[in-house]
Amino acid sequence: MRSFMIAPMRRQKVAIAFGRVLREARKQKGLSQEELAGDAEFDRTYPSLLERGLRTPTLTVLFQLAKVLSYSNSPKCWE
């Protein structure tokens, strides 16, 4: 049976790439990491961990970020 687990090294590369995209989106909105955390109802240190690739976001976190960053493809059920 084929596993859908991502190898640790690949997961780290994905987390780092996501962090770069998140940082750019946050800066385009003119938000500090602390403002993003407050708006998304995260601990104030969490955006930093995401941006540095030290944490991998859950699907719920992705939806919260999309809502705060005003991504139009975020599901209406999360508003």
Side-chain angles (χ1 to χ4, degrees):
M1 176 175 259
R2 185 174 179 163
S3 173
F4 290 101
M5 295 291 292
I6 299 175
M9 187 62 87
R10 175 78 174 133
R11 189 174 344 148
Q12 183 180 22
K13 288 180 181 181
V14 170
I16 290 169
F18 174 78
R20 289 180 184 144
V21 171
L22 176 59
R23 180 178 293 120
E24 184 61 33
R26 176 182 58 78
K27 287 183 175 184
Q28 284 182 359
K29 291 292 283 188
L31 296 172
S32 68
Q33 289 179 342
E34 193 166 350
E35 290 169 325
L36 176 61
D39 291 349
E41 300 178 358
F42 299 148
D43 180 87
R44 66 176 181 78
T45 62
Y46 193 56
S48 173
L49 295 171
L50 289 171
E51 288 182 6
R52 291 182 290 144
L54 299 177
R55 294 289 183 272
T56 305
T58 64
L59 187 57
T60 301
V61 167
L62 290 173
F63 285 135
Q64 286 173 278
L65 290 169
K67 182 178 176 184
V68 170
L69 297 171
S70 301
Y71 274 69
S72 61
N73 291 334
S74 62
K76 298 297 182 201
C77 64
W78 290 92
E79 294 181 357

